[in-house]
Amino acid sequence: MNPTPRFLSIFLFARFPGVRVVLALLFVAVLSGCANVISAKVTSFNDWPADAAGGTFAMAPHSGKGSELEQRTWDNHVAAELRRLGLVPVAAGQTPRFWVDTTATRESRVKHAREPIYQQDTVYVPPYRDAAGNVIAGHWAPDPFGPRWVGDRDVAYTVQVSSVRVRIHESASTPGVRARSVFDATAAHQGGESRELPQLVPFLVKAIFDRFPGANGQVRELQFDVETGQPVRR
């Protein structure tokens, strides 16, 4: 007798190994595509002055325990974006209109998720004759309908969260008056991949200044192509 439809998928995979190869290549292609994209979630607030173009800026000094060279690198990324927007580095000895404070951090967070549990059953394939008339002995094989769901379990996993925060204050024109906050944004990338903070900071800074200053109280998701550095989704 001929194989029943219930067991058809078993014979397709057994007799046509090329099917498995194609599926494997497609899976690798999908993973490779994801690996070439960096995502960022940006939360921003602003009260940006309309006459800011041409204004001077300076990077706020940092007295933390971090590396001076590391901080200078973050500041340089931000300064490049500010110059692109039409702001000008302040001359030595002068008071800038805008003070810019940049911080970059990386931390591990433990998250929890519900994961389905599947059980792989086997089914008995009775003896049958193939198209050539050969008798195929009965045997046990994986259920062609795939694993069956039997419940869920709680799974804890660790993610790396890298973030950049940029705060800009406008110097007061009146002596004794406190500087006014005009821009505050944070870009964060979450993932389990091995990219380090120095690799991510340029993309996070680009995300903060994409369509600057943006709407007040806005939260946006962006993706950047790793090779070109350009946004692929806004």
Side-chain angles (χ1 to χ4, degrees):
M1 59 181 177
N2 294 325
T4 63
R6 177 178 177 82
F7 309 113
L8 182 58
S9 61
I10 298 176
F11 299 106
L12 285 175
F13 272 75
R15 298 184 63 182
F16 300 100
V19 174
R20 298 194 295 270
V21 175
V22 171
L23 292 177
L25 290 175
L26 287 174
F27 182 70
V28 171
V30 170
L31 290 180
S32 299
C34 294
N36 288 328
V37 173
I38 288 179
S39 61
K41 182 177 183 180
V42 181
T43 305
S44 60
F45 301 89
N46 80 86
D47 185 15
W48 194 247
D51 62 346
T56 58
F57 73 90
M59 310 309 294
H62 276 256
S63 58
K65 298 180 180 179
S67 166
E68 179 182 348
L69 290 176
E70 182 181 77
Q71 183 61 48
R72 193 184 307 163
T73 301
W74 312 152
D75 289 344
N76 287 341
H77 287 302
V78 173
E81 292 293 328
L82 292 174
R83 289 194 298 269
R84 180 182 63 82
L85 294 170
L87 298 185
V88 181
V90 68
Q94 300 296 313
T95 300
R97 178 177 179 182
F98 299 106
W99 284 104
V100 185
D101 180 77
T102 305
T103 55
T105 60
R106 181 179 178 90
E107 63 178 349
S108 299
R109 295 180 185 174
V110 177
K111 294 201 168 188
H112 295 266
R114 298 294 293 173
E115 181 180 88
I117 303 174
Y118 293 95
Q119 179 175 301
Q120 178 65 64
D121 293 327
T122 56
V123 294
Y124 182 71
V125 181
Y128 66 93
R129 289 186 182 273
D130 62 14
N134 300 314
V135 176
I136 307 299
H139 59 277
W140 290 92
D143 189 338
F145 291 98
R148 301 180 185 276
W149 176 77
V150 295
D152 294 303
R153 63 180 177 182
D154 184 74
V155 177
Y157 60 98
T158 302
V159 297
Q160 300 295 327
V161 180
S162 301
S163 61
V164 170
R165 184 181 183 185
V166 175
R167 291 176 291 179
I168 303 178
H169 288 79
E170 184 178 25
S171 299
S173 56
T174 304
V177 177
R178 184 178 178 181
R180 184 173 69 98
S181 177
V182 293
F183 184 77
D184 190 340
T186 300
H189 170 79
Q190 176 179 292
E193 78 277 23
S194 59
R195 290 191 178 97
E196 299 296 334
L197 187 60
Q199 296 174 294
L200 293 169
V201 166
F203 296 99
L204 297 178
V205 171
K206 283 178 178 289
I208 286 176
F209 288 99
D210 182 76
R211 299 182 180 180
F212 181 89
N216 185 42
Q218 186 179 49
V219 179
R220 296 193 299 142
E221 298 274 356
L222 296 92
Q223 289 183 342
F224 292 88
D225 185 285
V226 174
E227 300 298 329
T228 66
Q230 298 302 311
V232 295
R233 184 175 71 84
R234 290 186 171 102

